[in-house]
């Protein structure tokens, strides 16, 4: 029989990634003992190397660490990469997530699964926007389909355990990165600086995004973990929402993000050409507006404030220049 979880011990999967690094810091700052896992970028002993597609390695990790909480950040999250290797992505985003949730349920471990706003169609003119947590999903692309599959697998497996699981959906993220390409927002700095030396660079000015800082997401995840694990009775825990959503509220197109970054950096962006029309021939279908409602989080007393986009970038760029 599996050993009981240890209070205030957390496993963070994908701890080498843009979000996972901030989640590990947030939990450690709050006094948790944290075991971060990674794969291609793992740096033992700081980050434990675990192949989440290897079931023996997953079982060994949980039996050794006996965490109270798992925050499952690891996933293939780039839509183009998902389309290029669908079998691998299904295994990682769906099958591995379900197995992790199954093992967590058997051991009484509370699991938080990170999902995406791309589970919603985000069609132009949709009346459902902002989408509530209980709105009907209809992913517009394969990436969204795999994350929705992961959501359903995790919640189904969690029903067999006492600790439960919750899904947290988030939009496009930005924040401190090892490389700009880690974030679909940070990478726009490369376009502003025009590192490729292009004469013109077409930039999307049609679909809207709600860029959200990874430090804010990490804070919310820490608060969720505390809320759900400290709720005293099974009946009270069962009454808590199973799906939550967090998002900043500022709305931008990619071109508008570039305008903000260029203003802060003091750079011209004459080479950027705004494209305000939908491209029906795009390899990956991207939605127009998948704005997430945060009402479910607010209903359980979780702080949903977010750092203003421009203010964060002003601070970040000043630090970078120094």
């Amino acid at each position: 029989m599996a050993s009981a979880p240890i209070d205030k011990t957390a496993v963070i999967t994908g701890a080498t990634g843009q979000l996972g690094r901030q989640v590990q810091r947030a939990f450690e700052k709050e006094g948790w003992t944290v075991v971060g896992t990674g794969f291609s970028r793992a740096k033992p002993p700081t980050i434990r190397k675990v192949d989440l597609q290897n079931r023996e390695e997953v079982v060994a990790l949980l039996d050794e660490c006996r965490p109270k909480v798992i925050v499952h950040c690891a996933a293939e999250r780039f839509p183009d990469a998902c389309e290029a290797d669908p079998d691998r992505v299904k295994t990682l985003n769906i099958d591995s997530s379900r197995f992790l949730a199954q093992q967590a349920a058997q051991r009484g471990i509370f699991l938080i699964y990170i999902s995406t706003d791309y589970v919603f169609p985000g069609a132009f003119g949709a009346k459902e926007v902002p989408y509530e947590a209980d709105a009907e999903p209809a992913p517009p692309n394969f990436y969204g389909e795999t994350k929705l599959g992961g959501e359903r697998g995790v919640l189904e497996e969690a029903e067999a355990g006492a600790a439960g699981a919750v899904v947290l959906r988030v939009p496009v993220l930005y924040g401190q990165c090892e490389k700009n390409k880690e974030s679909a927002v940070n990478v726009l700095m490369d376009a502003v600086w025009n590192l490729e030396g292009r004469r013109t660079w077409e930039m999307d000015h049609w679909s809207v995004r709600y860029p959200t800082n990874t430090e804010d997401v990490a804070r919310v995840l820490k608060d969720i973990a505390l809320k759900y694990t400290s709720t005293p009775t099974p009946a009270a825990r069962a009454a808590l929402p199973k799906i939550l959503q967090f998002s900043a509220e500022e709305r931008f197109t990619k071109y508008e993000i570039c305008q903000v970054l260029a203003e802060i950096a003091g750079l011209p962006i004459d080479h950027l050409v705004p494209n305000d029309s939908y491209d029906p021939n795009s390899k990956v279908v991207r939605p127009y507006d998948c704005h997430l409602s945060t009402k479910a989080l607010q209903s359980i007393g979780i702080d949903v404030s977010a750092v203003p986009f421009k203010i964060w970038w002003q601070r970040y760029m000043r630090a970078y220049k120094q």
Side-chain angles (χ1 to χ4, degrees), residues 40-54:
S40 61
R41 292 185 288 173
K43 298 176 181 178
T46 309
I47 302 294
R48 180 167 172 165
K49 185 170 184 176
V50 177
D51 181 358
L52 294 176
Q53 298 176 74
N54 183 318

Side-chain angles (χ1 to χ4, degrees), residues 161-216:
V166 69
V167 169
L168 179 68
R169 295 173 180 149
V170 295
V172 66
L173 303 179
Y174 74 96
Q176 293 184 355
C177 287
E178 292 180 350
K179 296 181 180 179
N180 283 340
K181 67 180 182 180
E182 284 188 307
S183 162
V185 176
N186 289 52
V187 77
L188 296 177
M189 276 300 303
D190 295 350
V192 170
W193 282 95
N194 197 16
L195 297 181
E196 297 181 12
R198 300 188 194 182
R199 291 185 62 185
T200 59
W201 194 323
E202 190 174 280
M203 191 60 60
D204 179 40
H205 194 36
W206 179 75
S207 60
V208 295
R209 296 160 173 83
Y210 300 82
T212 301
N213 194 274
T214 50
E215 292 178 47
D216 289 328

